[in-house]
Amino acid sequence: GGPAAGGIGDKSVRQIACDIRPGAGKADQSAHPVKRLFQRDREMASLQNETGQFEGAVTTLTGLLDNYTHSPRAAEAHLLRAYALGKQYEQDPHPHRKQAYRAALEEHRATYPDSTTVGEATWMLARLAEHERNWAEAISLLEAIRPHIKRGFDAQARLAVVFERALADLRQRGEPIQKLTERAIKTLSEAVDAYPPEPEPLTEAQ
């Protein structure tokens, strides 16, 4: 995969990018003109993302966010812009593109902390940190994705992988692993306990 494989190009973000397709907004001709303009720009950006025109998508979404800062759908548009920036980084893994992608994700988490999109943005940022082998940041970000929100289950599963890789790095460098091992056990045990138990199988009498 690319530099942030699993964080940029996965289904849930693509679904946001594609949720307004040609004709999707035509039924709402009675909508407020500002709403129609917002829909038009999001549709254009979605098509640009789908067809690999990521620079155009970034430009379209930047203008959209400048003009419709307080739209109820602004968080989704902001995440779409981060997605496009991430795809640019995948195509051209230059440090300035990575910084733009990281900055967009960090801004999203700071600007839309209560949005349903924040779990996805945090997941994408965690995968970027993992790509950078910044295990401490990746672990902290994955831990921040609560089990009940979108990406919660994925984050808990990914934590086990990241802890394993972080411990392998410590062993390779000959550094102590006890502290991180204890944290991994505690974190993963709490994650397991957060999920409801499996139902008991029926007995013959039942």
Side-chain angles (χ1 to χ4, degrees):
I8 299 172
D10 47 17
K11 181 178 179 182
S12 57
V13 180
R14 282 205 306 271
Q15 185 58 48
I16 297 173
C18 300
D19 68 352
I20 290 190
R21 295 176 179 275
K26 291 181 181 176
D28 192 13
Q29 294 300 320
S30 63
H32 189 281
V34 172
K35 182 179 179 182
R36 289 204 302 271
L37 289 171
F38 184 89
Q39 290 175 334
R40 181 203 65 188
D41 288 353
R42 283 188 71 240
E43 181 177 324
M44 181 186 299
S46 296
L47 287 171
Q48 288 169 322
N49 271 327
E50 287 185 79
T51 55
Q53 301 175 61
F54 301 117
E55 184 174 353
V58 170
T59 300
T60 299
L61 289 161
T62 299
L64 185 153
L65 289 164
D66 286 344
N67 292 325
Y68 311 110
T69 306
H70 301 296
S71 167
R73 310 299 292 275
E76 290 180 17
H78 194 281
L79 186 62
L80 279 186
R81 182 176 176 275
Y83 166 87
L85 288 167
K87 295 303 288 186
Q88 285 187 310
Y89 173 50
E90 280 193 344
Q91 292 178 339
D92 175 23
H94 191 278
H96 82 271
R97 292 203 182 277
K98 180 172 69 172
Q99 181 53 39
Y101 177 47
R102 171 179 284 279
L105 294 173
E106 290 175 344
E107 182 181 61
H108 190 91
R109 297 183 72 224
T111 306
Y112 307 103
D114 300 320
S115 171
T116 56
T117 58
V118 73
E120 191 69 39
T122 304
W123 167 264
M124 293 161 72
L125 190 56
R127 297 307 306 274
L128 179 62
E130 186 180 345
H131 165 69
E132 296 171 330
R133 303 181 72 85
N134 186 341
W135 309 124
E137 182 187 20
I139 288 168
S140 294
L141 287 164
L142 291 170
E143 286 178 334
I145 302 175
R146 307 322 306 164
H148 66 279
I149 70 171
K150 191 171 184 178
R151 282 296 188 186
F153 182 82
D154 293 336
Q156 299 303 325
R158 197 69 202 167
L159 266 171
V161 175
V162 176
F163 272 123
E164 183 179 351
R165 292 180 177 175
L167 287 166
D169 266 11
L170 289 176
R171 292 190 191 97
Q172 189 174 25
R173 297 198 301 266
E175 297 180 16
I177 65 169
Q178 182 177 348
K179 186 175 181 180
L180 187 60
T181 300
E182 291 173 352
R183 181 178 176 184
I185 292 171
K186 181 176 184 293
T187 299
L188 298 175
S189 296
E190 289 175 352
V192 171
D193 292 343
Y195 289 95
E198 292 288 331
E200 292 292 331
L202 294 175
T203 66
E204 289 186 12
Q206 293 172 309

